[in-house]
Amino acid sequence: MKQQRPLEGRRILITRPREQSSKLQTALELLGADVVAIPTIEIVPPDSYESLDTALADIACYDWLVLTSANAVDAIARRLDVLSMPVEALVAVQIAAIGNATADAVNGLGLQVELIPPRAVAESLLDALLPLVKGKNKRVLIIRAKVARDLLPDGLRAAGVSVSIAEAYQTIIPVQSVEDLRDALRAGVDAITFTSASSVQNLGALIEKAEVSLPTLTKKISIGPITTQALKEQSWHADAEAENASVDGLVAAVVRSFLNS
């Protein structure tokens, strides 16, 4: 007899950007899930690349380059090409990545990551980076989204560290997702996965635009504590939270949520 897979018959909505959803979707489908992919955010260029281009041109002035997402790494690669700058121009600066996915993207450019915090959140990155820069006259460049939490730069500045920020991309709500969400919720979903605070906030905006409500029995699975907090701020409860902020951790949390129900 064929053994039933743990997510057999479960319909799961994933909210990652389209270009980042394939790994999560494949992992859930291998466990038997029927996956509905409706991105709540779309990664688009910033209004201007001026701050990023200036920062890259002056990269030798910085001691640390801090990257908080693989999207930032992708944007850097594209702008280096536009500016006719070799990737080797970044070799002299030490690189900190918020998590393994970001570090993998950096390594993919042939660059080395000097620092990855124990947890893929800004709080952990701040704790890990501070002893390396505080009181040492170090200059830190943070390349990130247009809208992002200010905990990291504020924490560094409060410790007297010189910090510059460059915008690499921004996130918007995909128009097509409004109708797609309406159709998905009409058909019913057993669980929704959330991979960032912005995915929570944008789903809330999508729900409002679609003039629908999220069913109470639909499980909400969070990738980590910051995302869980964002769910609370939307008056939603996280039925499970990943033990580590990664696709594998999120998939394990989805399975756990159904095994415990």
Side-chain angles (χ1 to χ4, degrees):
M1 180 182 294
K2 183 180 179 180
Q3 186 176 8
Q4 187 177 35
R5 293 174 290 178
L7 297 179
E8 198 78 50
R10 303 293 188 179
R11 198 160 185 258
I12 299 175
L13 170 63
I14 63 175
T15 58
R16 302 198 84 186
R18 293 190 190 281
E19 63 272 18
Q20 298 173 0
S21 65
S22 59
K23 182 178 179 181
L24 176 59
Q25 180 168 346
T26 299
L28 291 170
E29 288 175 342
L30 286 173
L31 295 174
D34 175 16
V35 177
V36 181
I38 302 178
T40 61
I41 60 175
E42 180 180 350
I43 308 301
V44 299
D47 296 328
S48 170
Y49 279 113
E50 183 178 359
S51 65
L52 178 56
D53 290 351
T54 298
L56 291 174
D58 296 336
I59 196 67
C61 298
Y62 297 98
D63 301 287
W64 280 91
L65 169 60
V66 178
L67 302 167
T68 57
S69 75
N71 294 315
V73 181
D74 292 341
I76 288 171
R78 289 193 297 271
R79 296 314 294 176
L80 287 174
D81 187 53
V82 170
L83 297 170
S84 298
M85 288 180 62
V87 173
E88 289 75 20
L90 304 184
V91 170
V93 66
Q94 293 182 289
I95 299 177
I98 196 166
N100 291 326
T102 304
D104 288 345
V106 173
N107 293 336
L109 295 182
L111 298 171
Q112 182 176 345
V113 175
E114 302 293 338
L115 177 66
I116 305 174
R119 295 183 300 123
V121 294
E123 288 83 352
S124 186
L125 180 54
L126 177 62
D127 289 344
L129 185 59
L130 264 179
L132 303 176
V133 297
K134 183 178 179 180
K136 298 182 179 181
N137 197 31
K138 300 293 186 181
R139 295 190 64 191
V140 175
L141 170 63
I142 301 174
I143 296 181
R144 67 180 197 178
K146 178 179 180 179
V147 178
R149 297 173 69 216
D150 287 325
L151 184 143
L152 179 59
D154 285 355
L156 291 171
R157 286 169 176 155
V161 180
S162 174
V163 178
S164 297
I165 298 174
E167 296 176 9
Y169 63 96
Q170 59 183 319
T171 60
I172 62 172
I173 299 174
V175 175
Q176 181 59 42
S177 292
V178 176
E179 186 61 35
D180 290 346
L181 179 67
R182 188 181 291 122
D183 292 342
L185 292 184
R186 281 201 198 104
V189 293
D190 297 298
I192 302 176
T193 63
F194 296 92
T195 56
S196 67
S198 59
S199 70
V200 175
Q201 295 153 1
N202 286 355
L203 182 67
L206 279 177
I207 284 174
E208 185 176 342
K209 286 186 178 182
E211 298 181 340
V212 294
S213 59
L214 201 57
T216 304
L217 295 180
T218 298
K219 294 181 182 294
K220 302 157 196 72
I221 317 299
S222 163
I223 199 168
I226 304 304
T227 304
T228 296
Q229 179 59 38
L231 284 166
K232 290 179 182 177
E233 291 169 1
Q234 289 278 355
S235 299
W236 294 333
H237 168 72
D239 294 275
E241 179 182 298
E243 294 180 358
N244 61 81
S246 66
V247 169
D248 291 341
L250 185 60
V251 171
V254 172
V255 173
R256 188 169 66 249
S257 73
F258 287 109
L259 291 178
N260 293 337
S261 60

